Amino acid sequence: NAGVTQTPKFQVLKTGQSMTLQCAQDMNHNSMYWYRQDPGMGLRLIYYSASEGTTDKGEVPNGYNVSRLNKREFSLRLESAAPSQTSVYFCASSDLSRAGYTFGSGTRLTVV
Amino acid sequence: TQLLEQSPQFLSIQEGENLTVYCNSSSVFSSLQWYRQEPGEGPVLLVTVVTGGEVKKLKRLTFQFGDARKDSSLHITAAQPGDTGLYLCAPAVTGTASKLTFGTGTRLQVTL
């Protein structure tokens, strides 16, 4: 099925560990996004990529890095995880039309 | 960053009741989108409203875009448990990717 695939679905990290969240889309969309969603809050933009080869900071970029590996893939890296990064992370893509964003099913990350 | 405020933040109603949720901003939008996020999943696009004063219906859901294109509402008639979820509004991302962000969301619980 066409869409956005995120891996892993669940992850537990110890404080200070690093990890990369993977995201791939097969809809030939140019723009891709990473959001985090905390309990009782909406979606907050971490980073986005308007097109292959470009990335820009969103609202809450501190503690994260991203790589737009190719048109399909956009990864999010936590270099030194902190408990404040415990959240659900969503990747999304868009063709910048009124068709809107297509979201993945999320990665639930717990940092202990 | 354009700020979207949604109200109410939480709503718990019984099956069969009607409800309205709101999305407000001080900014003018060319178009606006509504998403629904079910527990454990990513948001899914419900509708895009484009013209000031526009009304769109999706079964029991009625969406309206304000005349000045600064606000929107979602009315649900005869709510069902399947309507439970987080309702989010966002400016439609068209043309160029940007930091356009989602509203804070309305969490709806419909009980039997």
Side-chain angles (χ1 to χ4, degrees), chain B residues 10-23:
Chain B
F10 303 98
L11 193 54
S12 181
I13 62 171
Q14 291 188 322
E15 183 180 18
E17 293 185 21
N18 301 330
L19 67 118
T20 302
V21 299
Y22 300 92
C23 174

Side-chain angles (χ1 to χ4, degrees), chain A residues 61-110:
Chain A
N62 292 343
Y64 305 94
N65 286 300
V66 291
S67 296
R68 183 75 182 267
L69 303 171
N70 47 56
K71 192 171 186 178
R72 291 186 64 248
E73 299 172 287
F74 188 37
S75 63
L76 178 71
R77 182 161 178 85
L78 288 70
E79 290 291 350
S80 178
S84 61
Q85 294 178 304
T86 293
S87 189
V88 181
Y89 291 84
F90 288 99
C91 177
S93 70
S94 172
D95 63 356
L96 301 179
S97 73
R98 290 173 185 159
Y101 298 86
T102 300
F103 283 85
S105 57
T107 294
R108 283 147 187 80
L109 176 67
T110 301

Side-chain angles (χ1 to χ4, degrees), chain A residues 31 33 35 37 39-43 45 48-50 57-59 90 94-106 108, chain B residues 10 31 33 35 37 40-43 45 48 50 86 88 90-104 107:
Chain A
S31 63
Y33 307 81
Y35 290 89
Q37 187 173 41
M41 298 186 71
L43 295 164
L45 181 64
Y48 68 99
S49 171
K57 295 178 181 179
E59 294 178 83
F90 288 99
S94 172
D95 63 356
L96 301 179
S97 73
R98 290 173 185 159
Y101 298 86
T102 300
F103 283 85
S105 57
R108 283 147 187 80
Chain B
F10 303 98
S31 55
Q33 296 176 326
Y35 291 77
Q37 183 181 18
E41 298 295 329
L45 178 68
T48 302
V50 177
L86 178 66
L88 297 159
V93 180
T94 58
T96 304
S98 71
K99 294 182 182 179
L100 292 175
T101 57
F102 286 76
T104 50
R107 193 168 298 277

